[in-house]
Amino acid sequence: MPKESTGLSLDGQGKPLWLSLELTYRCPLKCSWCNNPLDFDKYTEHELSTEEWKRVLAEARELGALQLGFTGGEPLQRPDLEELVAYADELGFYTNLITSGVGLNEARMAALKQAGLKQVQLSLQATRAALTDQLVGTRAHARKLEAARLIKAHGFPMVLNMPVFRHNIDLIDEMVAWAAELGVEYIEFANIQYYNWALLNRDELMPTREQIRRAEAVIQRWRERLDGAMTIYFVIPDYFEDRPKACMNGWGAIHLTIAPDGVAMPCQEARVIPGLEFHSVRERPLAWIWHDSPLFRKYRGLDWLPEPCRSCAEKEKDFGGCRCQAFLLTGDAGNTDPACSRSPQHVLVQAAVTQAVSPQRFRKPLIKRSASGVCTTFMEE
């Protein structure tokens, strides 16, 4: 692996292999676990234009980016999505649409296929209409099922993503059954991570250890039954692990996110950390931002690691964990991720798990994603 002049080790030979374009934060859904910023609405008037996004694509390709995710918000809210997909395909990207499915109709599906789109990742919260609609704050279930049908009808390899939390984790069995009948190639059960809107709702969304164990057993049975016919991923929340996740495979290692206003980030949550200097592609070349900006070099590699990470034999596996989570839970992004049992602040995670499942806890309504941040609803458990 090549080394930077500072001696820092980078994966991907120093290239941003995965490019995530957050085309817009606009979205018809109001999910209580949304990873968009709490003040997402203030970016609406500052979205990059079509030509600016094309310049980003060209610069990223020159940097060596290979895989591309069009995301948001809801990327289908951009009328130029098909044009951007076509341009990315022309540049040689493997293009992936990450969508709620709301707004995906026959005409747009055909146009995206014609533009060269390679894969679609569809989110579905439940197989039950009433629950899906309640969770996302609008009548979306039928449109999601129609989107799934269109994706398969047009021959796309399909990744079905089910964000997992207390209210739907016990429905994993019927979700796999539904996906297998449809012919889904990949299904990811992603226990949500607690940032932004999900952090506001953590006590209400966090599942119990028992629920996670039952879900793991269900998935293992399906893996044996399907015998490779469908790939099933189950991402356990790091609050329930002894070690933190290798967030983005390391800060500034292989992942590059561009926000709707053109700000380039090592991950989509980086703006939660105060004191960092962010640069927009409107102001600086993407190559400079990736290679030389103080933001991307801040926590890149291993030399910055604190103790106990610096002395840990597993530091090249998890890179100290997530910088955003370290800040949100400890107030200092330079700390060891408290999800790690070796962190001096691990008690914060343990306390959060205990609080979330406490029978004495006062039950609160979910805070729905909204411009004001005050839309709430009670959920039946």
Side-chain angles (χ1 to χ4, degrees):
M1 247 184 304
K3 307 277 185 178
E4 285 199 334
S5 58
T6 56
L8 302 182
S9 175
L10 298 181
D11 292 319
Q13 298 183 340
K15 300 175 183 178
L17 300 182
W18 176 258
L19 176 65
S20 178
L21 299 191
E22 296 183 315
L23 297 182
T24 181
Y25 287 144
R26 289 173 285 143
C27 183
L29 307 185
K30 300 176 182 178
C31 303
S32 299
W33 57 91
C34 181
N35 56 30
N36 286 170
L38 298 180
D39 58 351
F40 67 89
D41 52 312
K42 81 176 188 179
Y43 300 100
T44 301
E45 297 180 359
H46 306 288
E47 291 179 7
L48 297 184
S49 66
T50 305
E51 292 308 311
E52 286 175 318
W53 277 121
K54 286 183 176 180
R55 179 168 56 81
V56 169
L57 286 166
E59 291 185 22
R61 191 70 186 90
E62 289 179 3
L63 277 172
L66 299 173
Q67 302 234 12
L68 166 61
F70 289 103
T71 183
E74 175 49 68
L76 288 165
Q77 295 274 310
R78 291 278 302 213
D80 58 354
L81 175 61
E82 291 83 353
E83 183 177 350
L84 294 174
V85 169
Y87 187 68
D89 183 65
E90 180 183 327
L91 291 173
F93 280 103
Y94 183 88
T95 51
N96 181 26
L97 175 64
I98 303 168
T99 178
S100 69
V102 178
L104 190 61
N105 53 34
E106 178 66 40
R108 294 207 77 175
M109 191 80 271
L112 288 165
K113 181 80 170 182
Q114 179 65 31
L117 185 66
K118 298 297 188 293
Q119 188 181 74
V120 183
Q121 179 176 315
L122 175 71
S123 66
L124 183 61
Q125 290 70 35
T127 53
R128 304 176 185 183
L131 180 57
T132 297
D133 294 346
Q134 189 178 16
L135 286 168
V136 303
T138 188
R139 292 186 178 275
H141 187 79
R143 286 178 283 180
K144 286 174 172 286
L145 297 189
E146 174 61 13
R149 186 194 67 79
L150 286 171
I151 293 166
K152 295 304 299 179
H154 284 264
F156 284 99
M158 178 177 165
V159 177
L160 183 66
N161 177 275
M162 180 178 171
V164 175
F165 38 88
R166 181 183 303 170
H167 305 85
N168 66 359
I169 190 170
D170 294 324
L171 304 179
I172 281 179
D173 184 57
E174 59 188 60
M175 180 64 79
V176 180
W178 178 84
E181 183 177 356
L182 185 65
V184 170
E185 289 87 355
Y186 307 92
I187 183 168
E188 178 179 7
F189 294 102
N191 280 276
I192 60 172
Q193 302 295 330
Y194 296 100
Y195 308 102
N196 293 328
W197 297 92
L199 185 59
L200 289 180
N201 293 290
R202 185 178 64 186
D203 285 353
E204 303 305 315
L205 293 172
M206 188 178 292
T208 65
R209 291 184 187 274
E210 291 70 24
Q211 283 182 304
I212 292 174
R213 291 192 185 102
R214 288 199 301 268
E216 288 183 296
V218 167
I219 288 171
Q220 184 56 36
R221 288 197 299 270
W222 273 106
R223 284 173 175 160
E224 294 170 0
R225 177 178 173 181
L226 294 173
D227 193 25
M230 178 170 61
T231 301
I232 306 175
Y233 300 99
F234 184 69
V235 183
I236 299 175
D238 51 7
Y239 274 52
F240 293 92
E241 295 276 57
D242 288 332
R243 295 291 177 269
K245 60 182 178 294
C247 192
M248 300 300 174
N249 208 34
W251 179 281
I254 64 169
H255 187 95
L256 173 60
T257 291
I258 311 295
D261 60 343
V263 166
M265 300 178 289
C267 75
Q268 60 194 10
E269 310 295 349
R271 268 178 164 154
V272 304
I273 303 175
L276 298 179
E277 184 179 4
F278 295 92
H279 294 278
S280 170
V281 294
R282 286 171 167 152
E283 306 161 351
R284 293 276 198 163
L286 193 57
W288 179 86
I289 295 175
W290 173 260
H291 288 297
D292 301 315
S293 70
L295 173 67
F296 276 81
R297 298 180 69 86
K298 178 74 172 177
Y299 301 112
R300 179 178 270 164
L302 302 173
D303 290 353
W304 66 273
L305 287 173
E307 292 293 354
C309 300
R310 184 180 294 271
S311 303
C312 182
E314 298 182 26
K315 63 185 177 183
E316 294 189 18
K317 296 180 181 178
D318 58 41
F319 314 104
C322 175
R323 298 303 89 224
C324 300
Q325 185 158 271
F327 168 73
L328 290 169
L329 297 185
T330 75
D332 185 348
N335 283 335
T336 299
D337 187 338
C340 182
S341 62
R342 298 172 182 172
S343 164
Q345 292 91 11
H346 184 59
V347 64
L348 297 173
V349 168
Q350 293 175 310
V353 173
T354 300
Q355 167 67 15
V357 301
S358 171
Q360 286 77 40
R361 178 180 57 84
F362 176 72
R363 185 163 173 251
K364 299 176 291 186
L366 291 174
I367 300 173
K368 294 288 190 181
R369 178 192 194 267
S370 65
S372 64
V374 296
C375 179
T376 60
T377 184
F378 278 97
M379 292 291 301
E380 296 294 332
E381 294 189 16

